[in-house]
Amino acid sequence: MDRPKSGYAKYDPEARRRSMVNLLPGGYPPLPAGPYDVLCADPPWDYGGKMQYDRTCIKAENQGFEKDIFLSAANFQYPTVKLPALMALDVASIAAADSLLFLWTTGPQLANAVALGAAWGFAYKTVAFVWDKQVHNPGRYTLSQTEFVLAFKRGRFPTPRGARNVRQLVSERRRGHSEKPAAVLEGITRMFPVQKKLELFARRPFPGWDSWGLEAPGAPPAVAVQGELEARKR
């Protein structure tokens, strides 16, 4: 007698179809010329394909809800990257001798974030921002409601220094998947208004900052849905 398939097993074909893939042979475009005094990065952390229920599992919004079908994952939104590949990016080569790195991370990726900052040539200093998303996701321990921006330093503090009253806590309701509140870049800009700044893994422009990444403003198309690629080959 065949054993019933789990929800995840039933979902495998659909998960493959919906996964986003990177079309660049080298993985990423060349890094821009530095040196940059201030960098902010929102890495596409890899969660091993871990899935969770998305909004389609809310019965009030989807009367045809089936528990073993409606799931979501980070790699449905963008191509995720494993830690060794992130570490291989030569960010140190474009950072000034005296520079700061602000690095977005989630609770499960905290240790990896500290390791990544070190691999890029920076020393971990503190938690610069805590984002209260005002909505939560299920979690194994407590309900997940926050993300973090860690601060790393290389050499000395970039000078001149701007504002010194930027608050650590950002309380702003979560919007689109991986869409971060503008208050973070606004706060960093206030602290370092005249320094040369770069946002890594950017998806939209921000005044006073250069942008880099697969989906950075002006970048050629480099991301596709796996199912669409397979359909074209048929």
Side-chain angles (χ1 to χ4, degrees):
M1 182 176 180
D2 293 336
R3 297 179 62 183
K5 292 184 178 180
S6 69
Y8 278 78
K10 291 180 181 179
Y11 198 66
D12 282 345
E14 179 69 3
R16 175 179 170 81
R17 187 187 69 80
R18 290 171 58 183
S19 292
M20 302 293 289
V21 293
N22 184 337
L23 301 178
L24 289 185
Y28 277 101
L31 289 166
Y36 287 94
D37 308 300
V38 178
L39 304 96
C40 185
D42 181 15
W45 298 110
D46 182 76
Y47 291 87
K50 181 179 178 181
M51 293 183 283
Q52 63 186 27
Y53 296 118
D54 61 23
R55 291 190 62 82
T56 57
C57 74
I58 300 174
K59 292 183 179 180
E61 298 184 15
N62 185 350
Q63 298 301 319
F65 166 70
E66 293 182 44
K67 187 176 181 180
D68 59 3
I69 293 179
F70 295 101
L71 295 165
S72 186
N75 57 307
F76 294 173
Q77 309 297 327
Y78 46 80
T80 57
V81 181
K82 295 185 182 299
L83 183 60
L86 290 172
M87 288 179 163
L89 286 171
D90 193 10
V91 174
S93 69
I94 62 170
D98 297 327
S99 54
L100 295 177
L101 167 67
F102 294 89
L103 185 62
W104 278 98
T105 189
T106 60
Q109 300 287 355
L110 274 171
N112 288 338
V114 173
L116 181 59
W120 287 352
F122 292 83
Y124 169 71
K125 292 302 176 181
T126 189
V127 177
F129 296 93
V130 177
W131 176 27
D132 169 21
K133 297 187 280 188
Q134 300 183 4
V135 291
H136 63 261
N137 288 329
R140 286 183 178 271
Y141 302 93
T142 55
L143 298 177
S144 174
Q145 188 169 322
T146 56
E147 292 188 29
F148 312 94
V149 180
L150 308 185
F152 297 78
K153 184 162 70 78
R154 178 181 186 181
R156 299 177 180 273
F157 245 84
T159 57
R161 176 69 186 270
R164 293 176 180 267
N165 62 346
V166 174
R167 292 184 177 272
Q168 182 186 55
L169 179 63
V170 175
S171 184
E172 186 174 315
R173 190 173 181 84
R174 183 187 66 195
R175 292 182 286 181
H177 190 284
S178 198
E179 184 177 350
K180 300 302 191 288
V184 169
L185 288 184
E186 289 170 355
I188 299 171
T189 303
R190 287 177 55 212
M191 289 190 285
F192 302 99
V194 301
Q195 281 77 11
K196 188 174 181 181
K197 296 178 282 291
L198 171 68
E199 183 182 10
L200 296 159
F201 306 104
R203 293 189 179 89
R204 57 190 60 82
F206 196 86
W209 290 71
D210 292 344
S211 302
W212 175 89
L214 285 179
E215 300 174 271
V223 175
V225 181
Q226 180 68 41
E228 294 177 359
L229 291 178
E230 293 175 352
R232 292 174 197 165
K233 295 178 182 178
R234 295 181 190 137

